[in-house]
Coordinates of all heavy atoms in Angstrom, one line a residue:
P1 N 0.8 -1.2 0.0 CA 0.0 0.0 0.0 C 0.9 1.2 0.0 O 0.3 2.4 -0.2 CB -0.8 -0.1 1.3 CG 0.1 -0.8 2.2 CD 0.9 -1.8 1.3
G2 N 2.2 1.2 0.2 CA 2.9 2.4 0.3 C 3.6 2.8 -0.9 O 4.4 3.8 -1.0
G3 N 3.4 2.1 -2.0 CA 4.1 2.4 -3.3 C 3.4 1.9 -4.5 O 2.3 1.3 -4.4
M4 N 4.0 2.2 -5.7 CA 3.4 1.7 -6.9 C 4.6 1.6 -7.9 O 5.4 2.6 -8.0 CB 2.4 2.8 -7.4 CG 1.8 2.4 -8.8 SD 0.8 0.9 -8.9 CE -0.5 1.3 -7.8
L5 N 4.6 0.5 -8.6 CA 5.6 0.3 -9.6 C 4.9 0.1 -11.0 O 4.1 -0.8 -11.0 CB 6.4 -0.9 -9.3 CG 7.6 -1.4 -10.3 CD1 8.6 -0.2 -10.4 CD2 8.2 -2.6 -9.8
L6 N 5.2 0.9 -11.9 CA 4.6 0.9 -13.2 C 5.7 0.4 -14.2 O 6.9 0.8 -14.0 CB 4.1 2.2 -13.7 CG 3.0 2.8 -12.8 CD1 2.6 4.2 -13.4 CD2 1.8 1.9 -12.8
I7 N 5.3 -0.3 -15.2 CA 6.2 -0.6 -16.3 C 5.5 -0.2 -17.6 O 4.3 -0.2 -17.7 CB 6.5 -2.2 -16.3 CG1 5.3 -3.1 -16.5 CG2 7.4 -2.5 -15.2 CD1 5.6 -4.5 -16.7
A8 N 6.3 0.1 -18.5 CA 5.9 0.3 -19.9 C 6.4 -0.8 -20.8 O 7.5 -1.3 -20.8 CB 6.5 1.6 -20.5
E9 N 5.4 -1.4 -21.5 CA 5.8 -2.5 -22.4 C 5.5 -2.2 -23.9 O 4.7 -1.4 -24.2 CB 4.8 -3.7 -22.2 CG 5.0 -4.4 -20.9 CD 4.0 -5.6 -20.7 OE1 2.9 -5.5 -21.2 OE2 4.5 -6.6 -20.3
R10 N 6.4 -2.6 -24.7 CA 6.3 -2.5 -26.2 C 6.3 -3.9 -26.7 O 7.3 -4.6 -26.6 CB 7.3 -1.7 -26.7 CG 7.2 -1.4 -28.2 CD 8.4 -0.6 -28.7 NE 8.1 -0.2 -30.0 CZ 9.0 0.4 -30.9 NH1 10.1 0.6 -30.4 NH2 8.7 0.7 -32.1
D11 N 5.3 -4.3 -27.3 CA 5.1 -5.6 -27.9 C 5.5 -6.7 -26.9 O 6.2 -7.7 -27.3 CB 6.0 -5.8 -29.2 CG 5.5 -4.8 -30.3 OD1 4.3 -4.5 -30.4 OD2 6.4 -4.3 -31.0
G12 N 5.1 -6.5 -25.7 CA 5.2 -7.6 -24.7 C 6.6 -7.5 -23.9 O 6.8 -8.3 -23.1
R13 N 7.5 -6.6 -24.3 CA 8.7 -6.5 -23.7 C 8.8 -5.2 -22.9 O 8.5 -4.1 -23.2 CB 9.9 -6.4 -24.8 CG 11.3 -6.5 -24.3 CD 12.2 -6.6 -25.5 NE 12.4 -5.5 -26.3 CZ 13.2 -4.4 -25.9 NH1 14.1 -4.6 -25.0 NH2 13.3 -3.4 -26.7
V14 N 9.3 -5.3 -21.6 CA 9.5 -4.2 -20.7 C 10.5 -3.2 -21.2 O 11.6 -3.6 -21.3 CB 9.6 -4.7 -19.3 CG1 9.8 -3.4 -18.3 CG2 8.5 -5.5 -18.8
V15 N 10.1 -1.9 -21.5 CA 11.1 -1.0 -22.0 C 11.1 0.3 -21.2 O 11.9 1.2 -21.4 CB 10.8 -0.6 -23.4 CG1 11.0 -1.8 -24.4 CG2 9.4 0.0 -23.6
G16 N 10.3 0.3 -20.1 CA 10.2 1.5 -19.3 C 9.8 1.2 -17.8 O 9.1 0.2 -17.7
V17 N 10.2 2.0 -16.9 CA 9.8 1.8 -15.5 C 9.7 3.1 -14.8 O 10.3 4.1 -15.2 CB 10.8 0.8 -14.8 CG1 12.2 1.5 -14.7 CG2 10.3 0.4 -13.4
G18 N 8.8 3.1 -13.9 CA 8.6 4.3 -13.0 C 8.0 3.9 -11.7 O 7.1 3.0 -11.7
A19 N 8.4 4.5 -10.6 CA 7.9 4.1 -9.2 C 7.4 5.3 -8.5 O 7.9 6.4 -8.8 CB 9.0 3.3 -8.5
L20 N 6.6 5.0 -7.5 CA 6.1 6.0 -6.6 C 6.1 5.4 -5.2 O 5.9 4.2 -5.0 CB 4.7 6.3 -6.9 CG 3.9 7.5 -6.4 CD1 4.6 8.8 -6.9 CD2 2.5 7.5 -6.8
R21 N 6.4 6.3 -4.2 CA 6.4 5.8 -2.8 C 5.9 6.9 -2.0 O 6.1 8.1 -2.3 CB 7.8 5.4 -2.4 CG 8.8 6.4 -2.2 CD 10.1 5.9 -1.8 NE 11.0 6.9 -1.5 CZ 12.0 7.1 -0.6 NH1 12.1 6.2 0.3 NH2 12.8 8.0 -0.5
R22 N 5.3 6.6 -0.8 CA 4.8 7.6 0.0 C 5.9 8.0 1.0 O 6.7 7.2 1.5 CB 3.7 7.0 1.0 CG 2.4 6.8 0.2 CD 1.4 6.3 1.3 NE 0.3 5.7 0.7 CZ -0.9 6.5 0.5 NH1 -0.9 7.7 0.9 NH2 -1.9 6.0 -0.1
L23 N 6.1 9.3 1.2 CA 7.0 9.8 2.1 C 6.3 10.1 3.4 O 6.9 10.1 4.5 CB 7.8 11.1 1.7 CG 8.7 10.9 0.5 CD1 9.3 12.2 0.0 CD2 9.8 9.9 0.8
S24 N 5.0 10.5 3.3 CA 4.1 10.7 4.5 C 2.7 10.6 3.9 O 2.5 10.3 2.8 CB 4.4 12.1 5.0 OG 3.9 13.1 4.2
A25 N 1.7 10.9 4.8 CA 0.3 10.7 4.5 C -0.1 11.7 3.3 O -0.9 11.3 2.5 CB -0.6 11.0 5.6
D26 N 0.6 12.9 3.2 CA 0.2 13.7 2.2 C 1.3 14.1 1.2 O 1.2 15.0 0.4 CB -0.3 15.1 2.8 CG 0.6 15.7 3.7 OD1 1.7 15.1 4.0 OD2 0.4 16.9 4.1
V27 N 2.4 13.3 1.2 CA 3.6 13.6 0.3 C 4.0 12.2 -0.3 O 4.2 11.3 0.4 CB 4.8 14.1 1.0 CG1 5.9 14.5 0.0 CG2 4.4 15.5 1.7
A28 N 4.1 12.3 -1.7 CA 4.6 11.1 -2.4 C 5.8 11.6 -3.2 O 6.0 12.7 -3.5 CB 3.5 10.6 -3.4
E29 N 6.6 10.5 -3.6 CA 7.9 10.8 -4.3 C 7.9 9.8 -5.5 O 7.7 8.6 -5.4 CB 9.0 10.5 -3.4 CG 10.4 10.8 -4.0 CD 11.5 10.4 -3.1 OE1 11.4 9.4 -2.3 OE2 12.6 11.1 -3.1
V30 N 8.3 10.4 -6.7 CA 8.6 9.7 -7.9 C 10.1 9.1 -7.8 O 10.9 9.9 -7.5 CB 8.4 10.6 -9.1 CG1 8.9 9.8 -10.4 CG2 7.0 11.0 -9.3
K31 N 10.2 7.9 -8.2 CA 11.5 7.3 -8.1 C 11.7 6.4 -9.4 O 10.7 5.9 -10.0 CB 11.7 6.3 -6.9 CG 11.6 7.0 -5.6 CD 12.6 8.1 -5.4 CE 14.0 7.6 -5.4 NZ 15.0 8.7 -5.3

């Protein structure tokens, strides 16, 4: 519940990534 990991796929192959995490209840950080 404290984060999110996204991937970007092209033709079924992972070619990108981006993540998010909570720093506090009202602050999130892109990683």
Side-chain angles (χ1 to χ4, degrees):
M4 176 66 63
L5 178 61
L6 299 178
I7 59 171
E9 286 182 322
R10 180 180 194 191
D11 298 326
R13 193 171 67 89
V14 176
V15 295
V17 65
L20 192 66
R21 68 180 184 142
R22 289 182 190 265
L23 292 179
S24 69
D26 59 352
V27 179
E29 181 185 36
V30 172
K31 296 301 297 176

